[in-house]
Amino acid sequence: MATAAIHYSQHLARVYVWMCGGAAAALQAGAAEIAALDLPGCPGALVADLGAGFGMHAIPLARSGARVLAIDSSPMLLGTLDELRGDLPVRCIEADLLSFRSHLTEAPGAILCMGDTVTHLPELAAVESLVETAFSALPRGGVFVLTLRDYSVRLAGDCRFIPVRSDDARILTCFLEYTADAVIVHDILHDRNPDGWHTRVSHYRKLRLPPARLINRLEAVGFDVRREAGVGGMVRLVARKP
Ligand SMILES: C[S@@+](CC[C@H](N)C(=O)[O-])C[C@H]1O[C@@H](n2cnc3c(N)ncnc32)[C@H](O)[C@@H]1O
């Protein structure tokens, strides 16, 4: 099975902006999410965006006055971020998000891990390590914000086929398969070429991480945690270091 990094580099990265409705619409949606967060110290603060992708949150953050450290393992998505950011203060680093602390030059006012990125981690121990590192990297009053999908309830039968986006030239459908602690996400991509439709399929593993379990880990290291409804059916956790 492909790792998340390979799945993105060989399959998903080239259609990711399209999947999100195009850059303009995605950045507008990201800006609305950022505005709702009312992050401490913005403008002016350093914010680390872990698994930043093409900058759906990093770019609106920088537009609102933050200096952003954007970390992602996909060079293609970071390349798009770099094109979209213009002169905005976003520093792009191609790295594993678990290593984010080694790229910080000062304590960040906030750390974000948005868009279901945390479930891309390989196992629960990696999530625990991320939570501990985020707590120790933040100053008092700093926040760690995560948005994730709750895969703890299994979809069954036809409900496991999820139409993601389609237009005249492309169709993307997800198929979900469950194991005890993971969901295998099959991304089925149909592209229309001059000679007809071409189908490519790739799959990768996401953690089934019940939000209550993540909240327990966040609270165990010392965060005060607020659970809210995120966009598109995601769960948003706002963890503040007291
Ligand atoms: C679902 S996308 C979310 C992107 C962005 N946060 C957003 O909301 O649009 C997950 C992103 O995390 C990145 N990613 C996954 N695992 C990673 C890891 N271990 N280290 C760094 N980036 C990772 C992927 O390349 C991808 O850009």
Side-chain angles (χ1 to χ4, degrees):
M1 184 182 329
T3 61
I6 289 173
H7 180 77
Y8 274 80
S9 75
Q10 296 185 350
H11 197 66
L12 204 53
R14 78 175 176 88
V15 298
Y16 198 86
V17 175
W18 169 85
M19 183 186 89
C20 295
L27 293 180
Q28 201 177 349
E33 274 188 273
I34 293 302
L37 284 174
D38 193 19
L39 293 172
C42 271
L46 174 69
V47 178
D49 186 5
L50 311 183
F54 64 86
M56 178 170 172
H57 303 97
I59 290 173
L61 271 167
R63 284 185 181 147
S64 73
R67 292 166 294 125
V68 184
L69 171 67
I71 297 195
D72 203 283
S73 52
S74 167
M76 191 181 286
L77 289 173
L78 286 177
T80 305
L81 200 173
D82 209 33
E83 282 168 22
L84 291 172
R85 78 181 175 89
D87 293 333
L88 291 167
V90 183
R91 186 161 65 101
C92 297
I93 303 279
E94 182 189 332
D96 190 315
L97 64 87
L98 292 173
S99 72
F100 78 91
R101 202 166 181 187
S102 65
H103 303 286
L104 289 172
T105 48
E106 64 190 270
I111 300 170
L112 306 189
C113 190
M114 309 288 279
D116 205 28
T117 296
V118 67
T119 60
H120 291 59
L121 291 176
E123 71 267 313
L124 192 59
V127 178
E128 292 175 355
S129 161
L130 173 64
V131 167
E132 282 161 23
T133 312
F135 188 82
S136 60
L138 285 168
R140 290 174 193 279
V143 293
F144 181 28
V145 183
L146 304 108
T147 56
L148 70 154
R149 293 199 183 282
D150 182 357
Y151 301 106
S152 55
V153 178
R154 289 176 190 241
L155 297 176
D158 295 349
C159 294
R160 293 170 301 160
F161 291 84
I162 300 168
V164 180
R165 190 170 182 213
S166 62
D167 61 22
D168 289 348
R170 185 175 286 148
I171 303 168
L172 177 61
T173 309
C174 271
F175 172 69
L176 303 181
E177 211 181 351
Y178 295 85
T179 68
D181 59 357
V183 56
I184 314 302
V185 181
H186 302 255
D187 285 325
I188 306 155
L189 191 57
H190 300 284
D191 274 307
R192 196 206 288 268
N193 294 341
D195 58 339
W197 286 94
H198 285 244
T199 303
R200 292 185 306 123
V201 183
S202 170
H203 62 279
Y204 68 124
R205 182 179 176 277
K206 280 183 169 182
L207 286 178
R208 295 177 71 194
L209 179 60
R213 191 160 184 184
L214 181 52
I215 291 170
N216 279 346
R217 292 311 308 168
L218 289 160
E219 289 179 340
V221 300
F223 281 113
D224 292 333
V225 185
R226 209 170 66 230
R227 175 179 175 155
E228 302 168 343
V231 296
M234 281 192 241
V235 174
R236 181 165 68 205
L237 303 180
V238 181
R240 183 175 298 273
K241 182 165 173 173

